[in-house]
Amino acid sequence: MSEIVTELDVLKTTERWAAEGRRLALATVVETWGSAPRPTGSHLVIDDEGNFEGSVSGGCVEGAVVSEAIDVIAAGEPRMLEFGVADETAWRVGLSCGGRIRVYVEKVN
Amino acid sequence: MDRALLAGLNEERAARRAAVVVTELATGRQRLVREAEVGADPLAAEVEKAIRSGKSGIAQTEAGEVFLNAHLPPARIVSIGAVHISQALAPMAKIAGFDFEIIDPRTAFASEERFPGATLHAEWPEDVLKERPFDPYTAVCVITHDPKIDDFPLFSALQTGCFYIGALGSRKTHAKRVERLKEAGIPQSSIDRIEAPIGADIGAATPGEIAVAILASVIEAFRKRKMFADRRGETEPA
């Protein structure tokens, strides 16, 4: 497991990508309601070309987070995103499990 | 996130020390609080709570919503003894989400062939622990039956406050072990921390069953946060 964990360690990946000079944003699950797929504190790192590592929802909303993250990298200001069944876009971008999550997206400087 | 903060955080994680990243969500202002520095932090109580529970979350403060991301060392199980039980325990521990390491100076036991892909130290515990000491997020299972191998890591685990300590052996074997520990000056209250016979009392008989019993005990100790002394009943709760 330690080898797999090392490979999947998002914060180490973030440090490595940053050292390579890539422009990055880090997304973090800061709050969950109901049955959310990933616990609070989970990370997703995204570069400005849309490459990413990690997960904030096990695949449900990563696409949306990635596109917001690219905006955050350009604008520099952090953003709070919210996803869930209450969202009117639930059928396009939502959590099929019925939970809700808040995701904080910040630029890595 | 600032790259220097990220590097600092990864340094703490690599050293197996707890740390919390505190983020003011309204301003984006952020700081890293290392375990040793918690007392000096303005949100000391909240940070302490995050470390102790192992749960990240939002706290309401005068500065508005603050997110506390608790980064705790991954729990690991160290098996003193590359024996049949450890062969069963190795894959089970991984499946349950624990890092797993084996220490056994007997090279015939601690072989790659018997433990494919495992973290193996075919050396004396005394030597391995100099480089990779136990910490409170470590569960120690001593299962060689040989006091020459078992006793030193047992002392070390007790002194460190490892969240779980189990020792294989019959009641008779354990009684002798207790005598040795007492002679070495280990207090009874510490000796009582050792789970012996090792593992949850489910009547386990085969190596595989004993591995399940050990894992059950380790999970219980981990989830009940026994890496903190007061949770082990050793000091008054903070």
Side-chain angles (χ1 to χ4, degrees), chain A residues 21-41:
Chain A
R22 292 157 79 165
R23 303 174 70 222
L24 308 174
L26 186 67
T28 309
V29 179
V30 294
E31 207 166 9
T32 67
W33 296 264
S35 56
R38 297 281 290 134
T40 306

Side-chain angles (χ1 to χ4, degrees), chain B residues 209-231:
Chain B
E209 290 174 2
I210 295 167
V212 169
I214 292 173
L215 201 48
S217 284
V218 169
I219 291 168
E220 181 185 27
F222 180 67
R223 289 298 166 196
K224 292 184 177 172
R225 315 303 291 159
K226 302 285 183 167
M227 58 289 282
F228 301 107
D230 63 279
R231 293 290 181 90

Side-chain angles (χ1 to χ4, degrees), chain B residues 84-85 87-89 92 202 204-215:
Chain B
H84 203 170
I85 292 168
Q87 284 180 290
L89 191 53
M92 287 182 197
I202 55 173
T206 66
E209 290 174 2
I210 295 167
V212 169
I214 292 173
L215 201 48

Side-chain angles (χ1 to χ4, degrees), chain A:
Chain A
M1 163 109 14
S2 49
E3 283 168 31
I4 298 168
V5 168
T6 307
E7 286 166 22
L8 298 181
D9 190 320
V10 181
L11 294 175
K12 278 191 200 157
T13 302
T14 306
E15 201 179 343
R16 199 176 66 241
W17 284 7
E20 287 168 8
R22 292 157 79 165
R23 303 174 70 222
L24 308 174
L26 186 67
T28 309
V29 179
V30 294
E31 207 166 9
T32 67
W33 296 264
S35 56
R38 297 281 290 134
T40 306
S42 302
H43 288 300
L44 176 73
V45 60
I46 307 101
D47 75 6
D48 61 352
E49 291 176 358
N51 299 299
F52 64 91
E53 191 83 59
S55 75
V56 290
S57 75
C60 306
V61 301
E62 270 70 8
V65 175
V66 167
S67 59
E68 292 279 348
I70 291 170
D71 292 347
V72 167
I73 293 168
E77 291 303 311
R79 251 179 230 187
M80 187 69 78
L81 313 176
E82 195 167 331
F83 301 96
V85 286
D87 197 309
E88 60 188 17
T89 61
W91 293 106
R92 285 190 287 124
V93 183
L95 298 173
S96 55
C97 52
R100 268 202 303 148
I101 57 171
R102 270 171 92 200
V103 178
Y104 181 75
V105 186
E106 62 189 310
K107 190 176 177 183
V108 178
N109 290 305

